[in-house]
Amino acid sequence: MHSSHRIVATYRLAPLPHLEGERGEPEPRALAIARESTLETPEGVAPPSIEAALLGRVETLAPEEPTGGWEGSGIHESHETPYRAVISHAPEILDGGLPQLLNVIYGNISLLPGVRLVDLHLPDRVLDQYPGPGLGIRGLRDLVQGHGRPLVAAALKPVGLAPEPLAELASAFARAGMDVIKDDHSLVDQGFAPFRERVRAVVDAVRRVNEGRSDGQTAYFANVTGPAEELLQKAEFAARTGAHGILISPGLVGLDAMAMLARRGPGLPIMSHPSGADVGPDRTTGVAPHIHFGLLHRLAGADTVVYVNAGGRFAWSLETCQEVNRRLRATLGSLRPSLPCPAGGVNRTDAPMWFETYGADTLLLIGGSLLKEADVEGAARVLVEQARVSSPGTGTG
Amino acid sequence: MHSSHRIVATYRLAPLPHLEGERGEPEPRALAIARESTLETPEGVAPPSIEAALLGRVETLAPEEPTGGWEGSGIHESHETPYRAVISHAPEILDGGLPQLLNVIYGNISLLPGVRLVDLHLPDRVLDQYPGPGLGIRGLRDLVQGHGRPLVAAALKPVGLAPEPLAELASAFARAGMDVIKDDHSLVDQGFAPFRERVRAVVDAVRRVNEGRSDGQTAYFANVTGPAEELLQKAEFAARTGAHGILISPGLVGLDAMAMLARRGPGLPIMSHPSGADVGPDRTTGVAPHIHFGLLHRLAGADTVVYVNAGGRFAWSLETCQEVNRRLRATLGSLRPSLPCPAGGVNRTDAPMWFETYGADTLLLIGGSLLKEADVEGAARVLVEQARVSSPGTGTG
């Protein structure tokens, strides 16, 4: 169908019955996408050699199969059939940077109606330009000394708490044996818990507990999301102070800002948070979640990728979540796999079911469901125990 | 209705007839948005003082008026009535950074189905935290010595051209008297036209023409979009070399990366490009274009904001474009106004109509429609003359 040394993007074209003339027709739309993503000039303007070398190619265009898989049926269409357009690009259109890759796969066309990026193949020579996870699943397991079982995480929140109560909470989670503790993504650098004070306090609390343990250690991921010129400093401060990892929301700071930390940062593992990602499984535009979280976050260096779990507050389907998981763990050039981190309203009592459903290579993040218990530490201890006795599927560690 | 010293975000809630139970009901959805955007913990978890101080407040919730304005009727709903939820936030939830503002107004809730940010009020004390345009409309007019009339811009493209032909094109546009020349947003740092070589060549070409003119000068905006750690260097190189402004695509690098250049960069005026913005007037989720381009780009320091014009390749409505224009020019605390820059398939022969429709405070960007002419310079000269004889509305200069 296409040469595997090209970038191959698959778009779902939702029916546009309200558009007049050929603008709503699949073939002109596919050709327009291929041109818009590359030369962005009318036919005949670019020299023939450039048209031949750099214009995107429509490899295939076909109506979507009625049973065409889990990304098949949106909720908005009824009148007509959606199409799938497979468009390939020469790697020479890139410049080695992530922004230009985003530009080619979903740049100007992100402003078009009814165009959704649903699949993406990147050849090895393109994959090699991006950092990927520094530790990956195996490295994260080594960090917390948790092998052959699902890992569990808890969140420090709510925003508004001072460093001391946040540190006390961290201490309780660490005593319970949680594998990972993360700052709430809304804990940034507000006056009630300034970044440096918060990180120092939580690191101290977690270190004291870890020193007394022989069965693993709790890793603390400090949220460094903030102004662009402070990201590197914040990551370096976190590393210097003794945090085990950093949390960042690429939807708020830009995907390449996270990749910059992977390229130039102090080498702490990265947890990506979905805030501001502006994607969802029910949409007819945007980047499909399994590409956004399952591929782009991994490409940009996330060792573990937080996404919104099925059955939680966000109404995402199990199929979407499973596909995110599959992508994060699958072979992808020489990039390390990322650890899927389902979150967002996961009920602590459902944890064993999720371990079974998602398998061992999962970091299950339980937030509010632990915090609303009178005995937070006791509830966390139960969760940790459930993860330790669980042995679903086969892990990589 | 609400205190003007709070952040006030208005969301459009699309009907969700496929969701069971109260999850699809307007009131639980509005309350969930207010909580998700702030404390993100179940009721009762946060101390009462924090709930009182930081939980978002649902100010009003009402069905959308059937004739409720130009952002009123999406194309996807038919079964039920959309609602408008007005939710306010305490400024203390911010930390002075743009990422946290984005997190509060459209962070986690960007992952929900059918929630669209359609209006945003920011109090002066919040506006004062962000750079806004360094030059604004008046400063851009002074730069090109073009007052009391619409300004015109052309693009250097396609990607694939070497620095020399790009410089020749720039020379032709400058001889024609174009106010602004910009790199195509896809010209980044590829091998066929590396950033520094391209900027040097174009700057030299434009300077030579400008030196011989007495009727104004052509300003060249160099595209600095690229890896995060190179943005500042690229902007500084552009300034040192003699470019008049920089072009950046915040949808590809992050909105705060642009704001960082406004805060810390060399002081060149900024043109923002919409690639990767992932917004459109026909959607039921995301940030409405008049907020994304009309407010957030201005807040983040864009002196002129490229957006996709009605009647072009992108099927946006005239009402959307007029509302983007209105927001960019309107009073906004002490921030300077930004110059609207409609683009994306504008036909050069329609220019006089657009001048009349949009008024003098407009930078009309004509790309392919000029480039496909046999006599590009002659066609550009006609456009420049049309802008000079035009005197629609009243300008700020």
Side-chain angles (χ1 to χ4, degrees):
Chain A
M1 185 175 79
H2 50 72
S3 315
S4 69
H5 63 272
R6 287 172 68 84
I7 302 154
V8 185
T10 303
Y11 301 96
R12 182 167 186 273
L13 309 183
L16 298 176
H18 61 297
L19 281 193
E20 287 165 19
E22 68 165 19
R23 301 178 78 174
E25 295 300 316
E27 195 176 340
R29 287 172 71 191
L31 291 169
I33 289 169
R35 189 165 284 279
E36 190 71 47
S37 304
T38 54
L39 303 185
E40 208 205 339
T41 48
E43 218 174 321
V45 166
S49 61
I50 291 179
E51 289 251 342
L54 295 180
L55 181 64
R57 289 184 203 154
V58 179
E59 301 281 353
T60 66
L61 176 68
E64 192 165 72
E65 303 278 327
T67 54
W70 60 275
E71 257 278 335
S73 58
I75 57 168
H76 295 310
E77 303 86 29
S78 52
H79 331 284
E80 297 176 30
T81 308
Y83 273 68
R84 297 243 164 178
V86 177
I87 295 173
S88 78
H89 297 287
E92 290 73 22
I93 195 109
L94 304 182
D95 70 345
L98 189 53
Q100 174 61 2
L101 176 65
L102 300 179
N103 183 43
V104 170
I105 61 173
Y106 203 65
N108 271 7
I109 63 172
S110 75
L111 306 162
L112 288 169
V115 176
R116 182 166 175 81
L117 178 66
V118 295
D119 204 356
L120 180 64
H121 161 81
L122 299 174
D124 285 353
R125 61 177 281 206
V126 170
L127 288 172
D128 289 345
Q129 298 172 357
Y130 305 106
L135 288 190
I137 296 179
R138 189 178 300 259
L140 284 179
R141 289 192 177 283
D142 290 344
L143 177 68
V144 301
Q145 299 162 42
H147 295 271
R149 61 167 176 87
L151 304 180
V152 284
L156 303 178
K157 54 179 169 178
V159 60
L161 288 180
E164 296 70 28
L166 290 168
E168 282 168 27
L169 198 53
S171 204
F173 284 136
R175 283 194 303 269
M178 295 296 295
D179 298 301
V180 169
I181 301 173
K182 63 173 272 290
D183 283 333
D184 183 38
H185 73 284
S186 294
L187 290 174
V188 279
D189 200 17
Q190 294 98 339
F192 28 77
F195 172 76
R196 293 185 176 220
E197 289 180 36
R198 179 181 84 241
V199 173
R200 264 196 219 104
V202 175
V203 162
D204 282 351
V206 172
R207 181 188 291 132
R208 275 195 297 272
V209 178
N210 278 340
E211 282 170 358
R213 280 177 63 188
S214 58
D215 61 339
Q217 75 163 352
T218 298
Y220 163 52
F221 283 68
N223 185 21
V224 300
T225 304
E229 62 269 43
E230 297 175 14
L231 293 176
L232 203 49
Q233 296 166 21
K234 284 171 117 175
E236 283 163 356
F237 178 84
R240 209 163 54 235
T241 307
H244 306 88
I246 56 176
L247 174 77
I248 190 163
S249 302
L252 303 177
V253 299
L255 200 61
D256 191 59
M258 177 165 79
M260 182 274 288
L261 290 178
R263 290 188 297 259
R264 303 291 178 98
L268 291 187
I270 295 174
M271 171 183 273
S272 64
H273 190 279
S275 182
D278 197 6
V279 299
D282 62 328
R283 304 186 185 182
T284 57
T285 54
V287 178
H290 67 288
I291 300 300
H292 180 84
F293 295 117
L295 174 52
L296 297 179
H297 278 222
R298 178 176 174 190
L299 205 62
D303 294 277
T304 179
V305 175
V306 181
Y307 67 86
V308 297
N309 196 19
R313 300 190 300 273
F314 294 87
W316 285 30
S317 73
L318 184 60
E319 291 72 19
T320 296
C321 299
Q322 291 278 31
E323 188 64 10
V324 171
N325 295 348
R326 193 185 69 72
R327 290 269 183 164
L328 288 174
R329 297 166 182 154
T331 299
L332 182 69
S334 59
L335 271 65
R336 294 188 177 88
S338 300
L339 188 60
C341 183
V346 179
N347 198 316
R348 67 183 189 88
T349 57
D350 292 335
M353 183 271 283
W354 290 119
F355 297 150
E356 193 59 41
T357 304
Y358 289 153
D361 281 338
T362 306
L363 174 60
L364 190 68
L365 171 57
I366 312 272
S369 172
L370 283 176
L371 294 171
K372 74 182 181 190
E373 295 297 316
D375 177 9
V376 170
E377 183 176 337
R381 210 177 285 277
V382 170
L383 178 67
V384 168
E385 190 53 33
Q386 286 168 334
R388 293 192 179 195
V389 300
S390 164
S391 55
T394 49
T396 57
Chain B
M1 183 175 79
H2 51 73
S3 314
S4 69
H5 62 271
R6 286 172 69 83
I7 302 155
V8 185
T10 303
Y11 301 96
R12 182 168 186 273
L13 309 182
L16 298 175
H18 61 295
L19 281 194
E20 287 165 20
E22 68 165 21
R23 300 177 78 175
E25 296 299 316
E27 194 175 343
R29 287 171 73 192
L31 291 168
I33 289 169
R35 189 166 284 279
E36 191 70 47
S37 303
T38 54
L39 303 184
E40 208 202 339
T41 48
E43 218 175 322
V45 166
S49 61
I50 290 179
E51 290 252 341
L54 295 181
L55 180 64
R57 289 184 203 153
V58 180
E59 301 281 353
T60 64
L61 176 66
E64 192 166 72
E65 304 278 328
T67 53
W70 60 276
E71 257 278 336
S73 58
I75 57 166
H76 294 312
E77 302 86 28
S78 52
H79 331 285
E80 295 178 31
T81 309
Y83 273 67
R84 296 244 163 177
V86 177
I87 295 173
S88 77
H89 297 288
E92 290 73 22
I93 196 113
L94 304 182
D95 70 344
L98 189 53
Q100 173 63 1
L101 176 64
L102 300 179
N103 183 43
V104 171
I105 61 173
Y106 203 65
N108 270 8
I109 62 171
S110 76
L111 306 161
L112 288 169
V115 176
R116 181 165 176 80
L117 179 64
V118 295
D119 204 356
L120 180 63
H121 160 83
L122 299 174
D124 285 352
R125 61 178 280 206
V126 170
L127 289 172
D128 289 345
Q129 299 173 357
Y130 304 105
L135 288 190
I137 295 179
R138 189 177 299 260
L140 286 179
R141 288 192 177 283
D142 291 343
L143 177 68
V144 301
Q145 301 163 41
H147 295 272
R149 62 167 177 85
L151 302 181
V152 285
L156 303 178
K157 53 179 167 178
V159 63
L161 289 180
E164 295 71 28
L166 291 168
E168 282 167 28
L169 199 52
S171 204
F173 284 137
R175 283 194 304 269
M178 295 296 295
D179 298 302
V180 170
I181 300 173
K182 65 173 271 289
D183 283 333
D184 184 37
H185 73 284
S186 293
L187 290 174
V188 281
D189 200 17
Q190 294 98 339
F192 26 77
F195 172 75
R196 292 184 176 221
E197 289 179 36
R198 180 180 84 241
V199 173
R200 265 196 218 105
V202 175
V203 162
D204 282 351
V206 172
R207 182 188 290 131
R208 276 196 296 274
V209 178
N210 279 339
E211 283 170 358
R213 281 177 62 188
S214 58
D215 61 339
Q217 74 164 351
T218 298
Y220 164 53
F221 283 68
N223 185 21
V224 301
T225 304
E229 62 270 42
E230 297 175 13
L231 293 176
L232 204 48
Q233 296 165 22
K234 285 172 117 176
E236 283 162 356
F237 179 84
R240 210 161 55 234
T241 307
H244 306 88
I246 55 176
L247 175 78
I248 190 163
S249 302
L252 303 176
V253 298
L255 200 61
D256 192 57
M258 177 163 80
M260 182 273 288
L261 291 179
R263 291 188 297 259
R264 302 291 178 100
L268 291 187
I270 296 174
M271 173 184 272
S272 64
H273 191 280
S275 182
D278 197 5
V279 299
D282 62 327
R283 304 186 185 182
T284 57
T285 53
V287 178
H290 66 288
I291 300 300
H292 181 84
F293 295 117
L295 174 52
L296 297 180
H297 278 222
R298 178 177 174 189
L299 204 63
D303 295 277
T304 179
V305 175
V306 181
Y307 68 87
V308 296
N309 196 20
R313 301 191 300 272
F314 294 87
W316 285 33
S317 73
L318 183 61
E319 291 73 19
T320 296
C321 299
Q322 291 278 30
E323 188 64 10
V324 171
N325 296 347
R326 192 185 70 72
R327 290 269 183 166
L328 288 175
R329 298 167 182 152
T331 299
L332 183 68
S334 59
L335 271 65
R336 294 189 177 87
S338 299
L339 188 60
C341 184
V346 179
N347 197 315
R348 67 183 189 88
T349 58
D350 293 335
M353 183 271 284
W354 290 119
F355 297 152
E356 192 60 40
T357 304
Y358 288 155
D361 280 337
T362 305
L363 174 60
L364 190 68
L365 172 56
I366 313 274
S369 173
L370 284 177
L371 294 170
K372 74 181 180 192
E373 294 298 315
D375 176 10
V376 170
E377 184 177 336
R381 209 176 287 277
V382 170
L383 178 67
V384 167
E385 189 53 33
Q386 287 168 335
R388 293 193 180 194
V389 301
S390 163
S391 55
T394 49
T396 58

